[in-house]
């Protein structure tokens, strides 16, 4: 029979690369996802043409069950719960890579090189699956979101990781001698998975995005390594693409939140100190009528969206307000912080969904250069990403690069009440003389402002 897996794998790789390129731009991102899906379908299809494929009676129902669960879950998930979903899918990818490693290692009929590669993939996959489970439980609120710490935690983590790796090395050096050394595999898997759980415990909720992105990169690397072990180059390329994209995202997120990736691996990540300071000034409520008047006299308005816009599903009203302001000759731009919301690119996705033109979106650096000329910054459900406390040493978010909204001439903050941001701390911006608070659900508040603005 002619081997058609190689040509299909080439198509798979091309489709993955096209998908990734298209995901790089909000305008083409949807089709990028579709291309990646097609690539996945190709690679699964090619598997059936591999020599020696058996157990079809198990494979087909497994694919069917997985596809139905995945489809229903993806249709139902609310956008605010997307990080949990990413965490759990990450874990599944890592679990699949570890399972392949386990099977290859139990078979044991490979070269030392391949065994080494399979073991390395298994370590990374095991840490990633266990860590992703912890990330899911914390984000879903099924486990305490606060960092879980105890004395000698890092020493314990180190011992568990070192002993787990020791059993891996023991297996590697003795895999072709008889059985007892095979038993090294069980402690190897138990301990490396255990290390993954331990590593996730001290991570606080606010630091979770970086960690999920790191697990994403690790899962890609694990899949790539298992691809090497199986000599399956579609897996190698897919793994490398996920690993590289995940690594770039991890570094960008870590930079955006001023966190060190090295500290994550040491398991000492995300310990937030309790806040212990008083802020001078007071909160000054404003009515939607007054906000409309302020806007009508502005020349430049910056819109700063955050998690509250997503939660209120206010993006469509925000688009209406933008159109109205532009029709009145007012310059409008959106200031987008890379970790605003609850998932990478969250604001971009919502604004693209509402049809906000992409050229109105400014990234943090561009926006920060522009704020001093902004007459009014409309902060719509953003909190941590505009908190000047990040510039004050000793505060829990010290060092996190923020949007310098406080440099604009006037600030109007739309939020429902006294709710804090994800980091759970007070926001100095809200107490400044130039800041007014428009209380209420963001969608309702913007609707009222639009009504008032239309009367002027
Ligand atoms: P944030 O700090 O979480 O603050 C959201 C604000 O929105 C709150 O002050 C809340 O105040 C308000 N709000 C909630 N529902 C609202 C509604 N229906 N209408 C109006 N306002 C509403 O948001 P952010 O500034 O976007 O910062 C994101 C935070 O999440 C960062 O700390 C980031 O590190 C973290 N994070 C990011 C990601 C990511 O990948 N982007 C993932 C996980 C965590 P009220 O309750 O008073 O209304």
């Amino acid at each position: 029979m002619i081997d058609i897996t190689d040509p299909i794998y080439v198509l798979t790789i091309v489709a993955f690369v096209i998908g990734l390129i298209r995901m790089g731009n909000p305008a083409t991102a949807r089709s990028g996802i579709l291309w990646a899906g097609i690539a996945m379908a190709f690679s699964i299809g090619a598997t059936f043409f591999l020599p020696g494929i058996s157990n079809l009676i198990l494979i087909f129902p497994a694919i069917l069950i997985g596809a139905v669960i995945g489809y229903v879950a993806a249709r139902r998930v609310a956008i605010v719960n997307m990080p949990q979903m990413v965490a759990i899918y990450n874990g599944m990818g890592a679990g699949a890579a570890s399972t392949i490693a386990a099977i290859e290692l139990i078979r044991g009929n490979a070269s030392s090189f391949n065994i080494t590669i399979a073991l390395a993939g298994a370590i990374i996959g095991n840490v990633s699956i266990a860590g992703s489970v912890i990330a899911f439980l914390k984000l879903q609120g099924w486990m305490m979101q606060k960092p879980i710490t105890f004395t000698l935690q890092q020493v314990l983590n180190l011992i568990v990781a070192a002993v787990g790796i020791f059993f891996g090395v023991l297996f590697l050096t003795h895999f072709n001698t008889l059985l007892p050394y095979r038993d090294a595999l069980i402690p190897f898997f138990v301990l490396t998975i255990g290390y993954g759980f331990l590593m996730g415990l001290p991570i606080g909720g606010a630091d979770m995005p970086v960690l999920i992105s790191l697990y994403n990169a690790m899962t890609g690397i694990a899949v790539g390594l298992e691809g090497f072990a199986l000599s399956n180059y579609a897996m190698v390329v897919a793994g490398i693409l996920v690993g590289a994209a995940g690594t770039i995202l991890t570094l960008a997120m870590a930079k955006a939140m001023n966190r060190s990736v090295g500290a994550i691996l040491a398991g000492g990540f995300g310990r937030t100190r309790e806040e212990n300071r008083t802020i001078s000034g007071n909160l000054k409520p404003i009515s939607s009528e007054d906000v409309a008047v302020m806007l009508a006299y502005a020349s430049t308005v910056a819109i700063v969206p955050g998690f509250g816009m997503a939660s209120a599903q206010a993006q469509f009203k925000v688009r209406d307000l933008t159109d109205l302001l532009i029709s009145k000759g007012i310059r409008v731009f959106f200031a987008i912080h890379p970790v605003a919301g609850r998932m990478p690119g969250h604001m971009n996705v919502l604004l693209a969904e509402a049809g906000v033109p992409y050229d109105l979106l400014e990234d943090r650096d561009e926006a920060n250069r522009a704020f001093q000329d902004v007459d009014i910054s409309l902060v719509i459900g953003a909190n941590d990403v505009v908190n000047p406390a990040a510039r004050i040493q000793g505060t829990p978010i010290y060092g996190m690069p923020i949007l310098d909204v406080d440099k604009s001439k006037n600030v109007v903050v739309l939020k429902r009440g006294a709710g804090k941001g994800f980091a759970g701390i007070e926001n100095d911006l809200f107490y400044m003389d130039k800041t007014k608070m428009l209380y209420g659900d963001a969608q309702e508040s913007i609707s009222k402002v639009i009504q008032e603005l239309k009367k002027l």
Side-chain angles (χ1 to χ4, degrees):
M1 196 171 97
I2 311 165
D3 184 3
I4 60 160
T5 49
D6 282 357
I8 300 179
Y9 280 158
V10 172
L11 290 178
T12 302
I13 291 164
V14 171
F16 270 135
V17 173
I18 294 176
L20 201 56
I21 292 170
R22 296 188 75 79
M23 278 182 228
N25 183 326
T28 53
R30 249 171 206 272
S31 70
I33 299 280
L34 208 64
W35 274 98
I38 291 169
M40 241 7 254
F42 275 153
S43 62
I44 292 170
T47 310
F48 292 108
F49 297 98
L50 286 173
I53 183 100
S54 57
N55 279 334
L56 290 181
I57 196 109
L58 289 177
I59 294 173
F60 277 116
I63 289 179
L64 194 71
I65 292 168
V68 169
I69 293 175
Y71 182 81
V72 172
R75 298 287 307 187
R76 287 196 177 168
V77 69
I79 197 118
V80 288
N81 293 329
M82 205 54 102
Q84 290 93 299
M85 185 139 183
V86 172
I88 208 72
Y89 282 166
N90 236 348
M92 286 186 197
S98 292
T99 310
I100 291 171
I103 291 166
E104 286 308 295
L105 293 170
I106 289 167
R107 274 193 197 151
N109 55 356
S111 65
S112 298
F113 176 75
N114 274 10
I115 297 277
T116 310
I117 297 281
L119 282 169
I123 293 173
I124 298 172
N126 289 346
V127 171
S128 185
I129 185 176
S132 299
V133 168
I134 297 280
F136 171 80
L137 294 175
K138 285 198 175 197
L139 287 171
Q140 190 69 17
W142 290 353
M143 188 175 170
M144 196 165 82
Q145 289 228 353
K146 278 187 175 170
I148 299 170
T149 54
F150 48 89
T151 31
L152 294 179
Q153 188 169 22
Q154 298 212 6
V155 178
L156 177 74
N157 289 3
L158 208 67
I159 291 173
V160 172
V163 179
I165 291 171
F166 165 78
F167 277 109
V169 174
L170 197 65
F171 178 81
L172 175 68
T173 47
H174 295 82
F175 71 92
N176 48 9
T177 55
L178 280 175
L179 263 178
Y181 293 106
R182 292 274 160 89
D183 295 343
L185 270 189
I186 293 173
F188 165 75
F189 270 87
V190 169
L191 288 168
T192 47
I193 290 175
Y195 173 72
F197 282 122
L198 289 170
M199 181 184 151
L201 293 182
I203 317 291
D207 300 323
M208 220 31 116
V210 184
L211 192 76
I212 290 178
S213 164
L214 179 72
Y215 288 144
N216 195 17
M218 287 170 67
T219 297
I221 294 166
V223 169
L225 287 170
E226 298 316 331
F228 263 117
L230 289 179
S231 305
N232 181 317
Y233 60 83
M235 269 176 79
V236 173
V237 174
I240 289 172
L241 290 178
V242 174
T247 305
I248 293 170
L249 185 61
T250 305
L251 295 175
M253 300 271 288
K255 199 171 154 222
M257 297 174 79
N258 191 38
R259 303 297 191 195
S260 137
V261 179
I264 307 174
L265 293 170
F269 188 59
R271 268 169 230 189
T272 44
R273 282 157 289 183
E274 290 303 317
E275 212 190 11
N276 184 21
R277 68 197 176 95
T278 43
I279 302 170
S280 55
N282 54 340
L283 299 166
K284 297 163 284 298
I286 190 172
S287 65
S288 45
E289 292 90 330
D290 289 344
V291 174
V293 173
M294 281 174 77
L295 288 171
Y297 286 102
S299 336
T300 304
V301 171
I303 297 181
V304 187
F307 171 70
M309 183 186 82
S311 171
Q313 284 292 296
Q315 63 272 24
F316 298 98
K317 289 289 166 202
V318 170
R319 159 86 205 255
D320 294 345
L321 178 64
T322 307
D323 290 347
L324 188 57
L325 292 173
I326 291 174
S327 73
K328 288 180 179 288
I330 299 165
R331 179 181 170 244
V332 181
F333 72 87
F334 286 76
I336 308 294
H337 192 285
V339 294
R342 290 291 181 271
M343 60 178 181
H346 199 168
M347 297 301 115
N348 298 64
V349 171
L350 294 178
L351 295 172
E353 184 191 11
V356 171
Y358 190 57
D359 56 7
L360 296 188
L361 274 49
E362 306 281 10
D363 66 19
R364 192 185 57 235
D365 292 341
E366 289 165 344
N368 281 349
R369 280 193 287 274
F371 276 123
Q372 60 188 13
D373 299 320
V374 167
D375 299 304
I376 304 170
S377 281
L378 271 186
V379 176
I380 304 178
N383 194 334
D384 294 345
V385 299
V386 295
N387 193 344
R391 300 192 203 111
I392 302 170
Q393 207 157 7
T395 60
I397 60 165
Y398 174 65
M400 173 173 156
I402 56 161
L403 288 164
D404 298 331
V405 170
D406 57 331
K407 305 256 162 77
S408 45
K409 293 170 198 161
N410 296 283
V411 180
V412 174
V413 177
L414 280 71
K415 71 200 293 285
R416 294 164 307 177
K420 290 179 179 158
F422 196 77
I425 62 166
E426 283 293 346
N427 193 326
D428 302 37
L429 174 74
F430 302 166
Y431 293 84
M432 291 174 80
D433 286 343
K434 61 172 81 171
T435 305
K436 307 285 179 298
M437 309 296 289
L438 180 56
Y439 289 117
D441 173 77
Q443 193 180 146
E444 285 170 22
S445 294
I446 296 168
S447 300
K448 285 185 197 156
V449 171
I450 292 173
Q451 277 171 18
E452 296 300 327
L453 205 52
K454 280 183 177 163
K455 290 184 199 161
L456 296 174

